[in-house]
Amino acid sequence: MKQIKVKFALNPQETVLFKVDGSYLKSKWQAKPGALCLTNERIVVEGKPMTAFILFGVIGWLLARKKVIKEFPLSDITNFSRGKQGFNKKVAVFELLDGSTVRMAVTGKWEVFEAAYQKAMMDVKPLFSVN
């Protein structure tokens, strides 16, 4: 199995399962380019700051370091669905325990991303039991 490299620090027992490029959708009119990294413990959205691009152009943006834009544990996800943003029908919508919604436009095949997400969620321990 190919090891996926990321720029953020991993927890001791954490492994990266899947990484896909896309855009973090902050609002209807604002998106940040980045990558969605799916680990066995959490989802991390990492990207580059656009201020380097504004100040120094393409070279400044290429030399800028990646930083974590958003992260949340898999156990906080209450609902996952496929959404839409304009003409793009490959938007991952995560609803969290605190009532917030995180939206991420995904590049590539949706089925591959969804299968990786479902596989990661199989190992997550539920917060409460019905029994």
Side-chain angles (χ1 to χ4, degrees):
M1 187 168 145
K2 184 178 166 185
Q3 186 171 356
I4 301 169
K5 294 185 179 184
V6 292
K7 299 287 183 182
F8 57 91
L10 294 172
N11 297 333
Q13 298 297 322
E14 190 174 22
T15 58
V16 179
L17 304 174
F18 192 74
K19 182 177 180 181
V20 64
D21 289 330
S23 297
Y24 170 57
L25 305 172
K26 288 185 78 169
S27 66
K28 188 174 183 179
W29 301 104
Q30 187 178 15
K32 289 192 169 207
L36 184 134
C37 302
L38 180 65
T39 69
N40 58 343
E41 296 178 8
R42 60 187 171 153
I43 292 179
V44 179
V45 181
E46 65 177 359
K48 291 186 177 183
M50 292 305 290
T51 55
F53 178 73
I54 293 168
L55 295 175
F56 303 108
V58 174
I59 295 173
W61 186 77
L62 291 172
L63 295 175
R65 292 185 171 193
K66 288 187 177 181
K67 67 175 191 173
V68 174
I69 298 173
K70 182 85 173 169
E71 70 175 294
F72 50 92
L74 292 176
S75 58
D76 283 1
I77 298 172
T78 58
N79 192 18
F80 168 73
S81 61
R82 183 175 183 171
K84 180 179 167 181
Q85 176 88 6
F87 292 115
N88 187 1
K89 295 181 181 175
K90 295 187 285 185
V91 176
V93 180
F94 302 100
E95 294 177 19
L96 305 179
L97 282 174
D98 60 359
S100 64
T101 303
V102 178
R103 302 176 73 226
M104 179 79 182
V106 178
T107 60
K109 294 201 180 263
W110 174 262
E111 293 78 16
V112 176
F113 169 72
E114 188 174 27
Y117 172 76
Q118 297 296 339
K119 184 179 177 187
M121 287 303 284
M122 287 180 141
D123 297 332
V124 175
K125 296 179 180 124
L127 294 175
F128 54 89
S129 177
V130 179
N131 296 332

